[in-house]
Amino acid sequence: MSSGTSVYQAVASAGDRVRSLSDQDLPAMVAIERASYRRPWAESIFRDCFRPDYQLWGVESDGGLRGYAVVACLFDEAHLLNLCLHPEDRRRGMGRCLLRHAVTAAFDAGMARMILEVRRSNIGAQHLYESEGFLRIGERPGYYPDVPEREDAVVLSLEAPGSRDRR
């Protein structure tokens, strides 16, 4: 994976752009989250993510926020906590664009790997992550709260190029 915007333009339309997010983006982030999930994150959770050890990225199209990624960085590991696109914008390349940007930014910041959890039932997201080089490394039983039962998560990981050489 190389840094630079050319890789992002190849998968997103010319009007899309990725940018860092600020707390001014909270209302749009919460609206996208609520339109996407039965059990959305609360605004307070998003607010807590605006701190130095987190990276928050958004994809804009036609001047409005259409999706976001939240990444926590600890020691040498980036944890993709949330990647979400507005339902109207899925399957247009924006998710791949945002994922590539988040991965590149984390690796450029010195992270050796990125990990994430994805619902076992979210086959489309699993295919996206695996097509970008993520490998399955485990499961987290009952990870996602749901009604009437909890849902398992599949855990995926992507090693930074040359990260094994750094150890």
Side-chain angles (χ1 to χ4, degrees):
M1 199 133 328
S2 63
S3 59
T5 57
S6 62
V7 86
Y8 316 127
Q9 294 302 325
V11 296
S13 65
D16 301 340
R17 81 177 179 102
V18 177
R19 64 174 175 82
S20 63
L21 297 177
S22 74
D23 58 1
Q24 300 296 311
D25 295 300
L26 275 171
M29 293 170 72
V30 170
I32 293 166
E33 179 85 0
R34 288 182 179 156
S36 299
Y37 299 118
R38 288 181 297 197
R39 295 184 58 103
W41 279 12
E43 182 175 332
S44 61
I45 294 173
F46 283 109
R47 189 174 305 285
D48 289 345
C49 294
F50 288 98
R51 44 192 252 196
D53 53 339
Y54 279 63
Q55 298 177 349
L56 286 88
W57 303 105
V59 63
E60 270 188 347
S61 184
D62 300 322
L65 188 67
R66 306 308 300 162
Y68 56 83
V70 178
V71 179
C73 298
L74 183 62
F75 302 111
D76 67 346
E77 188 170 88
H79 191 162
L80 180 61
L81 300 173
N82 196 338
L83 189 147
C84 184
L85 291 171
H86 191 281
E88 296 172 357
D89 295 302
R90 294 184 185 150
R91 304 213 186 291
R92 292 184 37 214
M94 287 183 182
R96 187 175 305 275
C97 174
L98 194 52
L99 176 63
R100 287 182 176 179
H101 187 92
V103 166
T104 300
F107 290 168
D108 284 352
M111 300 295 108
R113 80 194 52 76
M114 179 176 278
I115 64 164
L116 61 89
E117 292 85 14
V118 61
R119 285 180 182 272
R120 179 180 301 288
S121 63
N122 194 343
I123 303 302
Q126 290 176 47
H127 286 300
L128 169 64
Y129 297 129
E130 290 171 349
S131 74
E132 290 296 316
F134 283 81
L135 301 174
R136 292 174 186 245
I137 61 168
E139 296 180 2
R140 297 194 199 282
Y143 184 77
Y144 291 101
D146 221 338
V147 178
E149 297 177 14
R150 298 180 71 84
E151 185 173 354
D152 296 347
V154 174
V155 183
L156 302 170
S157 177
L158 179 66
E159 297 286 324
S163 65
R164 293 186 192 270
D165 300 335
R166 288 189 255 169
R167 294 184 190 163

